[in-house]
Amino acid sequence: AVMVISDVKFSFKYQTAEKARELKDKNVQIYMAPIMESRDKSLTMLKRWASQPWQTNYERIPGLAALKHNNAIFVQKLLVKFCPDS
């Protein structure tokens, strides 16, 4: 499994999409954890790159301030999604 923590400012959209497709073809689970205050169209792309169902393999962190002040909560959420046996 692979967890991608991203600021959603990807420079190589095509190459990233190709790599996500390659990983999925190898049955590698892809988890996406974008750190972004607002919800915009770029998040839709990350949901597509995440393994399906994306609701299980995607967790948006609503900005750096939220991460800083609620670090333990987001660590717990991501850990439980990424490693459910933990």
Side-chain angles (χ1 to χ4, degrees):
V2 173
M3 179 179 289
V4 178
I5 301 172
S6 172
D7 64 0
V8 195
K9 298 176 184 172
F10 39 85
S11 300
F12 303 100
K13 187 166 72 171
Y14 176 79
Q15 290 88 340
T16 304
E18 285 294 309
K19 186 55 71 176
R21 195 169 309 120
E22 286 175 24
L23 289 170
K24 287 179 182 179
D25 288 346
K26 294 178 182 177
N27 293 320
V28 174
Q29 195 78 7
I30 302 172
Y31 296 85
M32 291 294 195
I35 302 172
M36 183 176 212
E37 288 183 26
S38 64
R39 297 173 193 239
D40 69 12
K41 292 178 184 180
S42 58
L43 293 177
T44 303
M45 185 66 62
L46 291 178
K47 291 175 185 175
R48 278 192 222 134
W49 292 341
S51 294
Q52 297 301 313
W54 68 264
Q55 293 88 342
T56 304
N57 301 298
Y58 173 92
E59 185 69 44
R60 184 178 75 86
I61 300 169
L64 291 174
L67 180 59
K68 180 180 178 182
H69 292 72
N70 302 292
N71 191 355
I73 292 170
F74 291 112
V75 167
Q76 170 105 16
K77 283 183 172 185
L78 293 175
L79 185 61
V80 168
K81 283 191 178 215
F82 191 69
C83 186
D85 294 336
S86 63

